Amino acid sequence: GDYPKAWLAKALIRTFAGNLLKSVAFKLVHDLLVFASPQLLKLLISFVADPTAYAWQGYLYALLLFVTALVQSICLQQYFQLCFLLGMTLRTALMAAVYKKALTVSNATRKEYTHGETVNLMSADAQRFMDLTNFIHQLWSAPLQIALSIVFLWWELGPSVLAGIGVMVLLIPINAVLATKARSIQMKNMKNKDQRMKIMNEILSGIKILKLFAWEPSFERQVGEIRVRELKGLLHFTYLQAFSIFIFSCAPFLVSVASFAVYVMVDEKNVLDAQKAFTSISLFNVLRFPMAMLPIVISSLVQTSVSTERLERYLGSGDLDPSAIRRDPSLLSAALSPTQISRPSRVTLDIKPRRLVAVVGAVGSGKSSLVSAVLGEMENLKGHINIQGSVAYVPQQAWIQNATLKDNILFGSELDEARYQRVVEACALLPDLKLLPGGDLTEIGEKVLALGIGGGRERVVLGGTTRILVTHSVSFLPRTDEIVVLVAGAVSEQGSYSTLLANGGAFAQLLSTYGNQEGNTPEGEATGMRACAGPRVSFIQVGTVPPRECCTLTPRGVGIPTPAQSRGLHPVPHLQQGPPAPAASGRELGTCQMAARVISRQWSRLRAGVCVTGDGDSPLFITYVAQYAAFVGSNLWLSDWTDDSLRYWNQTYPTSQRDMRIGVFGALGTAQAAFLLAGALLATRGTIRASRMLHQQLLSNILRVPMSFFDTTPTGRIVNRFAKDIFTVDETIPMSFRSWLTCFLGIISTLLMICLATPYFALIIIPLGIFYFFLLRFYVSTSRQLRRLDSVTRSPIYSHFGETVSGLSVIRAYGHQERFLQHNDRIMDMNQKSVYSWIVSNRWLAVRLEFVGNLVVFFAALLAVITRDSLGSGIVGLSISSALNITQTLNWLVRMTSELETNIVAVERVHEYTEVENEAQWVTEQRPPPGWPSKGEIQITDYQVRYRPGLELVLHGLTCDIRSTEKVGVVGRTGAGKSSLTNCLFRILEAAGGKIVIDGVDISTIGLHDLRQSLTIIPQDPVLFSGTLRMNLDPFDQYADEEIWKALELAHLKTYVLDLPERLSHQVSEAGENLSVGQRQLLCLARALLRKSKILILDEATAAVDLETDHLIQTTIRSEFANCTVLTIAHRLHTIMDSNRVMVLQAGRIVEYDSPERLLQQQGLFSTMAKNAGIVSAQATVL
């Protein structure tokens, strides 16, 4: 790409230079002190070997050992504190940058990045930087430590040390090869991860459709296939990792074998004495850490470089260019780039202030694009757009934030109570607010469960003033001041309603063909708002219009009073007492009492998870124990070897003895390495198996939970399980488990060696052990809660980011970018608080722990001084050089224990979602007869239903019969229970009482898939998934191509699809973004046609479509579904006037149910609605 490269790292280094320099100083002091200890050890050994030395010398050496260790600890902890702080600030800076970029990003870039990919930039990639900073300084510190070790070793062993260094140098290219290989695997795997997250995001946003069509297995398979690829990559990656760890664990050992062997072989006079051997061994131990860290730092650098590239590419991509929009009083005119062929190519348009302008045209004629252009969302080729005043915008598909209803209406404006009441009333929200538990303080989730999906969503958004109206509803065109007709992206006519009719152009033809469907009169009360708030409406308010005008758009006869007519304002029903009704449930925060239960659950789960190898844990554990047995063995052997220097004092050292010493020492080392490799490979296989199981359980369970779970759980929280938590299970837990086991066994073996040297040391272990244990317990429980707080405060960051991305055009139209930025900063600061506390708690612990380690060194030295008469210098050397090694290991063990504990929380969180209550089984023992339903008769008997246990009933005992092939219309205002009725037929909602019988089968007795595959629905929102067109129509590949083409032909899409270069394999982008809403709706019709079931449910499927498409859908349904039972959930009366019967719902009860003719004569609710809609007789509107 042509984005700027290699700037991110430079910018970050410039920004954080101060912190980096301070930490360099601390690290330097620490590194130099590390080399003081081996020199003191050397003095101590010579003191023990020399019976004539004064006792005070020994005590001084012991004390000096203690003091250097203490200063070392303090410097190290200061250094770590600085590093972690840097990491935290770095992550926040990057997350804020990504968020800020998302607000200004151009449309071209938005199309390149799916929602999942941008969230990944914010979560995974920013986290990588945080992880890297913790040991970025190893890049200079490790080479420094290595160089100093070599200098001191030369001092001890002379040129033979070169043998050891030779071994090290050999290992470097091997590691480089492994690192580059790992990088390429990692790159491939990031792609798989992105792809898996993309599909998961779609599944979660379109879950309702998957359930209605019983398509879950197909998507489960798709995710499963990607997951198999991902795990295969992971397996290769972990094998490489195992080899890399193996090579580096062997390194110090191979180095010492090589050096000692060469040293004794080069010269007869060279005898290995305790001083030389153990000083060298502690120097080799010092070497061990930088050598082990280097590959880790390098691979972390590699991963971060991948992330840097991804971030540079996103942050460096093009911004939206607002220059086309001017604010000076000249004309409005612009040439817009066609992003699709049918978009406006050249439009010149002038709209006078204070006019209501309607924009009409067929599907794909560029109406939405025109609006986008005015908002500055299209790419401008030439010309400009001029706007005076502020802009408000209602998008075609309403965008609702996770907040209270009131916040959604105010959208960041100051609350002016009187005006707020007028707006709520004008938007006909009062009756809805009465139905909601918390009035306008009810929290509406991302999924908007609370608002009967009908028009509720759109009406919440409608708190503005309207001037440009993009619409398909002809019924109130006469009331507009001016009409703009678009054809194929250009303005074909413009003028008032009467002028255009008189002209007899495209507009007049449109009206004469389809206009009679709607009559030229305003619509009924139940659907009045629908007219101006159907999903297919984009309003742009230009100029500031006095508030009283803001309500006069609605057609006069409609039952929504304008303030002038209104009989005094009714205040919005508030719930003064009590907090807002929360939308989200879910125990994200645990308590301490849980912790105890959880730990025991966890260790068993960890065993289950990490050690799913061979027959349980035993082989894995045995290999690790064997490795440490060999380690202790080789050290004891060395200690015995060094005593040879005293045995053969002033004699020639026998060659046979020398060869045996070297041989056994080498053999023990080789054994150690072999066991290590075996253990690592065993663990790898097990962890992959565990990952596979956990993800599989999580996925299959999430697809089987009832719809109410998705209504009450923010998507961000579920996505987090699939992204962050699965990543932890895949990659982090195995690493930390391996390190934990290594540390644990390392400490045990070290203590064992010290006790062998000075048995009294066992007495000191006990109090130190108790102190250590209490520290560990206190810290681990605190740390776990802090980590949990971290993940709880992190979820809102991603949810808010997701909301922002999906509502970007609205945020930009209102110019609220700054407010969203500030909100993002606030929630990020909340997260910082818990992260910072966690960092500080780590340092608190480390300082105390290192103190324990330093005491171990002190007592080992002290005891050696006290009992020096009975000790050989070899064993003293062994005991103290082991003790010097323990401090770091003790610290590491607790870090690993807590990291393991906190990471295990991920397993717990995933596990929690694998145990969510499922909906009924997909397929049960009792299958419906083949070909069921053959008649399509529906009997509903005393049916009651509620959204969730403990809530009010939504349907109160419905009873009705629907005969075979009958066409029934269901009407009623928003919240009357129309949509709930369809949910009951599909058992999205389960009965609280009563039953539904279809063709003699009680639907509650059969499996959900048997039921859902036998019914067809054309849903309200046309939801599509990314993939081919074919997959969107037939995800199971059940139908032949001919059948699919036939369905497309009937849905009037055949010509469109034939023109596409890839035809049925045409890629649909995420959520079907690359098709117009009308085309998406027709695809949903094609889906229904393909199913050919006896019962069709039509959920207001024609609200988003222009007259032509609407006409097509109506005729297709009339002809193709003539011998089916059709239930239409209507929001516009004209669509159901030719039904056999009409069911009128009010507050969850059937109030009228009869043929439209009879209902019109009855003077009930239906006839009032019809009058308001200007429908006088049933015949008047039938085509």
Side-chain angles (χ1 to χ4, degrees):
D2 47 356
Y3 57 96
K5 296 183 177 65
W7 52 269
L8 187 59
K10 287 177 206 154
L12 292 174
I13 290 169
R14 272 205 303 278
T15 314
F16 298 110
N19 175 308
L20 288 166
L21 288 171
K22 259 193 278 187
S23 38
V24 165
F26 281 116
K27 182 76 172 136
L28 199 61
V29 175
H30 167 262
D31 284 0
L32 296 173
L33 282 174
V34 164
F35 291 98
S37 308
Q39 300 311 314
L40 287 165
L41 169 67
K42 190 174 174 178
L43 294 168
L44 236 168
I45 294 177
S46 64
F47 162 80
V48 172
D50 174 11
T52 60
Y54 294 110
W56 64 265
Q57 285 179 321
Y59 292 117
L60 177 69
Y61 295 151
L63 194 66
L64 278 174
L65 264 175
F66 182 59
V67 174
T68 48
L70 213 55
V71 178
Q72 227 175 319
S73 299
I74 291 166
C75 286
L76 186 65
Q77 295 319 314
Q78 274 298 332
Y79 154 77
F80 270 136
Q81 173 72 2
L82 286 166
C83 281
F84 274 102
L85 272 182
L86 173 68
M88 181 179 89
T89 359
L90 202 60
R91 191 191 74 173
T92 317
L94 288 171
M95 284 166 80
V98 170
Y99 185 85
K100 200 167 182 172
K101 179 68 184 183
L103 285 174
T104 61
V105 73
S106 71
N107 273 335
T109 315
R110 262 181 85 184
K111 287 207 174 60
E112 271 173 50
Y113 287 89
T114 60
H115 177 113
E117 287 170 323
T118 21
V119 172
N120 247 348
L121 285 175
M122 217 172 175
S123 54
D125 293 318
Q127 188 65 40
R128 287 255 159 82
F129 275 90
M130 184 171 178
D131 297 339
L132 175 71
T133 50
N134 303 346
F135 32 65
I136 185 79
H137 290 287
Q138 293 298 335
L139 280 177
W140 61 265
S141 149
L144 174 78
Q145 285 183 328
I146 291 173
L148 284 172
S149 310
I150 289 169
V151 170
F152 282 113
L153 278 166
W154 185 281
W155 209 351
E156 294 301 327
L157 301 174
S160 28
V161 84
L162 290 175
I165 295 164
V167 173
M168 281 188 197
V169 173
L170 273 179
L171 294 177
I172 293 171
I174 297 180
N175 200 56
V177 170
L178 289 177
T180 43
K181 190 93 183 81
R183 178 192 156 111
S184 64
I185 293 179
Q186 197 74 3
M187 282 292 283
K188 271 216 284 287
N189 238 8
M190 281 305 276
K191 283 208 181 67
N192 285 331
K193 209 185 253 45
D194 280 347
Q195 207 181 346
R196 179 169 61 86
M197 285 322 297
K198 181 172 137 189
I199 296 195
M200 276 319 303
N201 264 315
E202 291 193 30
I203 289 179
L204 294 173
S205 47
I207 188 76
K208 178 107 182 246
I209 298 295
L210 292 191
K211 287 192 177 306
L212 291 172
F213 281 93
W215 277 359
E216 301 99 330
S218 162
F219 280 82
E220 192 173 357
R221 198 181 60 233
Q222 279 185 45
V223 177
E225 282 164 7
I226 296 176
R227 181 72 182 156
V228 167
R229 288 205 299 275
E230 191 183 350
L231 285 177
K232 208 182 215 156
L234 196 63
L235 188 66
H236 290 167
F237 183 69
T238 38
Y239 276 164
L240 283 177
Q241 232 176 8
F243 275 109
S244 173
I245 289 171
F246 159 71
I247 288 172
F248 270 83
S249 312
C250 297
F253 176 77
L254 290 174
V255 168
S256 53
V257 170
S259 304
F260 291 156
V262 170
Y263 179 71
V264 290
M265 286 171 156
V266 171
D267 192 341
E268 296 280 290
K269 296 191 196 64
N270 285 356
V271 174
L272 202 60
D273 62 3
Q275 267 185 0
K276 276 198 177 17
F278 287 105
T279 309
S280 307
I281 286 270
S282 22
L283 284 167
F284 282 134
N285 279 337
V286 169
L287 251 185
R288 199 178 189 141
F289 185 68
M291 295 274 303
M293 282 313 278
L294 260 184
I296 296 178
V297 179
I298 289 168
S299 77
S300 176
L301 252 181
V302 164
Q303 289 181 338
T304 315
S305 72
V306 175
S307 294
T308 312
E309 222 169 280
R310 286 158 57 102
L311 281 163
E312 281 180 346
R313 181 152 169 201
Y314 182 70
L315 295 172
S317 62
D319 278 359
L320 198 66
D321 173 22
S323 62
I325 297 199
R326 302 189 193 162
R327 304 212 171 246
D328 62 30
S330 59
L331 288 179
L332 163 82
S333 119
L336 298 148
S337 87
T339 39
Q340 280 184 337
I341 322 307
S342 58
R343 294 296 167 88
S345 34
R346 234 200 176 84
V347 175
T348 307
L349 193 56
D350 185 12
I351 292 171
K352 303 280 181 290
R354 301 196 177 263
R355 293 176 72 104
L356 169 55
V357 177
V359 178
V360 295
V363 168
S365 59
K367 299 180 296 297
S368 306
S369 307
L370 176 67
V371 172
S372 300
V374 176
L375 293 173
E377 293 274 328
M378 296 287 276
E379 195 185 330
N380 180 38
L381 293 183
K382 71 185 236 273
H384 67 275
I385 295 168
N386 185 53
I387 296 177
Q388 290 156 353
S390 60
V391 172
Y393 169 56
V394 178
Q396 191 170 344
Q397 284 173 319
W399 171 69
I400 299 275
Q401 277 188 280
N402 241 340
T404 62
L405 192 90
K406 191 173 196 162
D407 293 341
N408 265 301
I409 295 177
L410 290 174
F411 198 61
S413 327
E414 289 298 306
L415 174 63
D416 161 358
E417 194 56 57
R419 176 154 189 240
Y420 174 70
Q421 297 290 356
R422 283 204 299 273
V423 168
V424 168
E425 190 157 351
C427 289
L429 278 170
L430 279 179
D432 297 296
L433 288 174
K434 293 201 182 81
L435 296 173
L436 295 177
D440 62 353
L441 294 181
T442 308
E443 291 243 355
I444 22 189
E446 313 165 84
K447 305 283 191 326
V448 204
L449 163 79
L451 294 169
I453 306 264
R457 287 231 272 240
E458 278 80 15
R459 299 216 301 273
V460 174
V461 184
L462 248 185
T465 327
T466 54
R467 281 296 163 244
I468 299 179
L469 162 60
V470 172
T471 183
H472 290 306
S473 278
V474 191
S475 53
F476 50 80
L477 290 180
R479 312 216 176 282
T480 56
D481 301 325
E482 195 172 347
I483 296 171
V484 175
V485 185
L486 288 183
V487 175
V491 178
S492 82
E493 301 182 86
Q494 181 178 1
S496 69
Y497 185 75
S498 45
T499 332
L500 292 182
L501 266 185
N503 286 352
F507 178 71
Q509 278 174 341
L510 193 76
L511 272 192
S512 61
T513 325
Y514 306 110
N516 59 344
Q517 286 187 39
E518 303 217 3
N520 291 337
T521 32
E523 300 223 68
E525 175 158 26
T527 58
M529 203 53 208
R530 211 52 207 171
C532 56
R536 183 58 182 186
V537 183
S538 308
F539 293 94
I540 299 190
Q541 162 201 347
V542 178
T544 39
V545 182
R548 58 165 300 174
E549 261 187 63
C550 83
C551 303
T552 48
L553 157 80
T554 33
R556 303 293 179 278
V558 176
I560 301 166
T562 55
Q565 320 159 326
S566 124
R567 308 150 297 291
L569 294 173
H570 316 294
V572 176
H574 264 303
L575 274 190
Q576 244 60 22
Q577 66 284 21
S585 66
R587 156 192 81 66
E588 281 277 16
L589 261 185
T591 54
C592 296
Q593 301 97 37
M594 269 181 51
R597 276 212 321 274
V598 168
I599 291 180
S600 63
R601 274 220 325 265
Q602 259 142 40
W603 281 112
S604 57
R605 196 164 314 130
L606 178 73
R607 280 216 340 263
V610 180
C611 312
V612 199
T613 51
D615 38 34
D617 323 7
S618 29
L620 179 64
F621 202 67
I622 290 167
T623 51
Y624 272 97
V625 171
Q627 177 204 338
Y628 277 92
F631 169 66
V632 174
S634 66
N635 275 327
L636 290 171
W637 183 258
L638 182 68
S639 141
D640 194 42
W641 181 359
T642 56
D643 289 342
D644 283 357
S645 63
L646 303 173
R647 287 186 208 122
Y648 297 97
W649 188 250
N650 286 339
Q651 300 173 23
T652 3
Y653 192 45
T655 337
S656 58
Q657 177 80 356
R658 181 191 73 187
D659 294 347
M660 181 196 68
R661 289 290 187 195
I662 294 175
V664 174
F665 190 53
L668 283 167
T670 318
Q672 199 182 326
F675 283 127
L676 176 82
L677 182 62
L681 294 178
L682 274 178
T684 296
R685 298 247 326 268
T687 50
I688 298 282
R689 198 175 312 169
S691 291
R692 183 180 305 128
M693 274 171 22
L694 269 173
H695 182 269
Q696 214 169 339
Q697 287 171 359
L698 175 65
L699 178 65
S700 81
N701 199 61
I702 283 294
L703 290 176
R704 285 168 175 80
V705 297
M707 203 54 220
S708 59
F709 172 80
F710 296 100
D711 291 331
T712 51
T713 315
T715 315
R717 198 179 293 168
I718 307 176
V719 168
N720 223 345
R721 297 290 185 278
F722 280 97
K724 187 96 179 54
D725 295 333
I726 287 289
F727 171 77
T728 309
V729 172
D730 284 351
E731 302 192 16
T732 329
I733 293 181
M735 279 293 288
S736 45
F737 179 71
R738 205 177 295 159
S739 310
W740 181 86
L741 203 55
T742 315
C743 291
F744 179 70
L745 292 170
I747 287 171
I748 300 291
S749 50
T750 304
L751 292 175
L752 200 80
M753 288 191 285
I754 300 177
C755 288
L756 283 175
T758 46
Y760 290 113
F761 186 73
L763 298 174
I764 293 161
I765 290 184
I766 296 162
L768 283 182
I770 291 170
F771 178 55
Y772 185 77
F773 176 72
F774 276 107
L775 270 183
L776 190 87
R777 258 193 51 190
F778 184 74
Y779 167 77
V780 166
S781 55
T782 317
S783 165
R784 192 176 53 247
Q785 292 303 335
L786 285 172
R787 284 305 283 272
R788 195 168 275 159
L789 272 172
D790 170 33
S791 65
V792 172
T793 49
R794 190 184 288 154
S795 283
I797 299 180
Y798 301 144
S799 302
H800 179 244
F801 183 58
E803 262 176 19
T804 308
V805 172
S806 54
L808 197 51
S809 45
V810 179
I811 299 172
R812 289 185 194 165
Y814 283 91
H816 278 234
Q817 292 96 318
E818 196 45 50
R819 178 166 74 87
F820 276 78
L821 269 176
Q822 281 165 0
H823 181 73
N824 186 52
D825 291 348
R826 273 200 304 279
I827 50 183
M828 274 169 59
D829 287 344
M830 279 298 297
N831 179 240
Q832 292 293 64
K833 284 179 190 164
S834 47
V835 177
Y836 182 74
S837 316
W838 179 71
I839 290 172
V840 173
S841 74
N842 267 341
R843 302 284 63 84
W844 175 92
L845 166 85
V847 170
R848 281 154 190 74
L849 274 190
E850 298 224 338
F851 186 64
V852 174
N854 299 337
L855 285 175
V856 170
V857 175
F858 180 56
F859 283 117
L862 200 61
L863 288 169
V865 173
I866 295 170
T867 58
R868 68 174 172 163
D869 304 333
S870 61
L871 288 181
S873 54
I875 202 89
V876 171
L878 175 64
S879 132
I880 296 171
S881 66
S882 306
L884 281 174
N885 213 15
I886 205 173
T887 316
Q888 230 163 9
T889 324
L890 278 174
N891 194 354
W892 211 234
L893 179 71
V894 176
R895 287 269 299 281
M896 283 304 140
T897 308
S898 93
E899 195 180 303
L900 205 50
E901 268 287 312
T902 35
N903 288 332
I904 286 285
V905 171
V907 179
E908 181 194 340
R909 285 161 54 114
V910 169
H911 188 72
E912 183 192 338
Y913 275 18
T914 58
E915 290 186 336
V916 179
E917 189 88 8
N918 283 359
E919 49 184 1
Q921 288 204 312
W922 284 349
V923 179
T924 53
E925 294 295 302
Q926 187 175 354
R927 308 286 302 253
W932 174 89
S934 51
K935 299 203 277 294
E937 293 170 356
I938 306 173
Q939 281 108 25
I940 302 176
T941 326
D942 191 23
Y943 202 79
Q944 300 169 330
V945 79
R946 48 172 58 95
Y947 277 123
R948 292 195 299 288
L951 292 184
E952 295 290 299
L953 287 173
V954 235
L955 297 180
H956 307 267
L958 300 192
T959 303
C960 68
D961 277 2
I962 296 169
R963 296 189 279 272
S964 176
T965 74
E966 196 171 23
K967 311 289 177 274
V968 176
V970 183
V971 294
R973 60 162 298 138
T974 305
K978 302 188 297 291
S979 297
S980 306
L981 184 60
T982 53
N983 287 341
C984 296
L985 283 171
F986 283 90
R987 284 176 62 197
I988 298 285
L989 294 175
E990 294 284 3
K995 59 180 182 177
I996 295 180
V997 177
I998 296 179
D999 279 6
V1001 177
D1002 178 348
I1003 63 168
S1004 62
T1005 58
I1006 56 174
L1008 290 182
H1009 277 190
D1010 283 339
L1011 168 67
R1012 291 171 183 171
Q1013 282 163 351
S1014 313
L1015 309 177
T1016 307
I1017 184 168
I1018 300 183
Q1020 210 168 14
D1021 297 328
V1023 177
L1024 299 183
F1025 301 94
S1026 62
T1028 60
L1029 266 178
R1030 194 198 160 100
M1031 190 226 65
N1032 270 291
L1033 290 168
D1034 172 26
F1036 293 103
D1037 287 334
Q1038 296 164 314
Y1039 301 99
D1041 279 8
E1042 300 77 76
E1043 297 177 273
I1044 293 184
W1045 282 111
K1046 180 83 177 113
L1048 284 173
E1049 185 176 355
L1050 292 170
H1052 309 278
L1053 278 174
K1054 187 170 180 179
T1055 45
Y1056 169 74
V1057 180
L1058 279 172
D1059 289 345
L1060 295 169
E1062 288 158 325
R1063 301 203 174 169
L1064 286 179
S1065 312
H1066 177 67
Q1067 285 294 324
V1068 178
S1069 63
E1070 197 171 10
E1073 296 282 333
N1074 55 359
L1075 299 171
S1076 76
V1077 177
Q1079 287 166 333
R1080 285 183 236 168
Q1081 197 70 66
L1082 290 174
L1083 265 179
C1084 292
L1085 174 65
R1087 261 181 212 167
L1089 290 163
L1090 206 53
R1091 272 248 164 131
K1092 305 202 245 325
S1093 53
K1094 270 312 254 193
I1095 298 178
L1096 170 72
I1097 289 126
L1098 204 62
D1099 189 354
E1100 182 229 358
T1102 50
V1105 186
D1106 62 307
L1107 294 178
E1108 206 168 334
T1109 319
D1110 188 3
H1111 180 53
L1112 294 177
I1113 291 182
Q1114 292 296 336
T1115 26
T1116 306
I1117 287 171
R1118 287 200 183 97
S1119 60
E1120 291 302 314
F1121 293 100
N1123 53 357
C1124 303
T1125 310
V1126 180
L1127 236 72
T1128 309
I1129 308 264
H1131 294 259
R1132 303 184 297 175
L1133 291 189
H1134 78 272
T1135 48
I1136 54 151
M1137 288 314 285
D1138 61 339
S1139 318
N1140 304 103
R1141 287 194 282 175
V1142 173
M1143 182 189 297
V1144 185
L1145 290 176
Q1146 192 175 24
R1149 293 185 168 82
I1150 299 182
V1151 282
E1152 299 174 3
Y1153 184 37
D1154 211 333
S1155 68
E1157 294 81 4
R1158 288 221 192 86
L1159 290 181
L1160 282 175
Q1161 292 154 13
Q1162 274 174 22
Q1163 305 300 314
L1165 193 56
F1166 183 75
S1167 65
T1168 331
M1169 288 160 122
K1171 270 201 194 67
N1172 287 331
I1175 296 172
V1176 197
S1177 70
Q1179 272 64 46
T1181 56
V1182 177
L1183 284 171

